[in-house]
Amino acid sequence: MTRLRFALLNAAHDGANTRRNFRREIDADLVEFDAVDGDLPDHTEFDGVVVTGSRSSVYWDEAWIPPLVDYVAEAADAGVPVLGVCYGHQVLAEALGGRVAGMDGFEIGYNEIRQVRDDPLFEGIGESFTAFTTHGDAVVELPPSATLLAENDRGVHAFRDGHCWGVQFHPEYDVETARDVTDGKRDQIGDARVDAVLEAITPEAYDAACEAKALFENFTASAERLAAERADAAAADD
């Protein structure tokens, strides 16, 4: 089978770390679009769509956000597998009819997340696992046809709706990104909390969080199975 081709919708305002992380973790040809700059595909002919994190909120009044939400809704409606990460998870929820709102406080650092039901996206990942989180918004209402997959005491951390998955945590982060993002939150959460989180970004914590990276391989495998099914169906129609 030919190599999969995914659209990478980069919603990060400074996309270098994001680009590096997703290109390292996803074994597919990634066609990157700068979503913040209003750069989006003009078609949905991809094997998958991946939506990244962002420092923006999905409910902000910024011109680039509604077209991104609309495109994700269009891709999902066309049956294209979608993976949304952090902000991308929130964009996906909004695109499919859910709701995102600001949290009481901010979740940041390596935290424990619990699976609430089995799903192929989490194959090989423990029922309780560690992942880096950094967010002040959360999905407060799931899309009508979505299923909750994972959570912690701060709310929804993963859901599925058909061939679409959203994860609130950041399985793609390396140590450098975790440190950069944390250090950039001083104005938002204060020096003392930032310093405490930085101290906890250790090789051991990162190694524990690497378990969650398996979801990228699982998403790709799911997209590959769907592409094969479509190819078989097309061949049968010829």
Side-chain angles (χ1 to χ4, degrees):
M1 184 172 177
T2 57
R3 189 169 165 83
L4 295 179
R5 188 167 175 265
F6 288 172
L8 178 65
L9 309 185
N10 193 340
H13 291 259
D14 180 4
N17 279 346
T18 300
R19 181 178 303 111
R20 179 185 72 247
N21 290 332
F22 280 97
R23 288 192 177 279
R24 181 187 61 242
E25 300 299 338
I26 297 177
D27 185 16
D29 289 335
L30 300 183
V31 185
E32 186 177 348
F33 298 86
D34 184 350
V36 180
D37 209 32
D39 179 29
L40 292 171
D42 58 6
H43 62 84
T44 59
E45 298 299 313
F46 296 99
D47 297 307
V49 171
V50 179
V51 192
T52 77
S54 177
R55 67 169 180 257
S56 294
S57 293
V58 73
Y59 48 79
W60 284 0
D61 183 17
E62 295 187 355
W64 63 275
I65 295 174
L68 173 61
V69 174
D70 289 347
Y71 178 79
V72 170
E74 181 185 351
D77 189 55
V80 180
V82 179
L83 175 65
V85 177
C86 195
Y87 177 76
H89 153 90
Q90 296 164 14
V91 166
L92 179 63
E94 288 277 349
L96 300 179
R99 188 167 70 87
V100 174
M103 296 165 58
D104 179 16
F106 199 92
E107 184 180 29
I108 187 168
Y110 286 109
N111 288 294
E112 186 176 291
I113 298 164
R114 301 177 300 276
Q115 292 188 57
V116 298
R117 57 180 45 80
D118 291 337
D119 188 86
L121 187 71
F122 286 94
E123 186 175 343
I125 301 172
E127 184 178 339
S128 178
F129 60 95
T130 298
F132 196 88
T133 67
T134 171
H135 62 115
D137 294 328
V139 174
V140 294
E141 290 179 15
L142 287 173
S145 55
T147 301
L148 178 68
L149 298 181
E151 64 184 1
N152 67 7
D153 58 0
R154 302 311 303 273
V156 174
H157 266 281
F159 70 88
R160 178 180 185 172
D161 194 333
H163 296 299
C164 300
W165 290 267
V167 296
Q168 179 61 69
F169 53 94
H170 281 280
E172 82 281 9
Y173 271 17
D174 52 21
V175 169
E176 178 186 347
T177 306
R179 289 186 172 279
D180 285 351
V181 168
T182 302
D183 200 51
K185 294 288 186 289
R186 291 186 182 277
D187 289 346
Q188 193 168 359
I189 63 174
D191 289 339
R193 189 167 178 205
V194 165
D195 290 343
V197 173
L198 286 172
E199 190 173 339
I201 299 174
T202 62
E204 293 76 18
Y206 173 72
D207 286 348
C210 282
E211 177 186 18
K213 291 180 184 294
L215 71 81
F216 290 115
E217 185 176 343
N218 294 338
F219 175 73
T220 302
S222 178
E224 192 166 37
R225 284 193 297 271
L226 187 61
E229 289 170 9
R230 287 175 171 166
D232 289 345
D237 288 341
D238 286 346

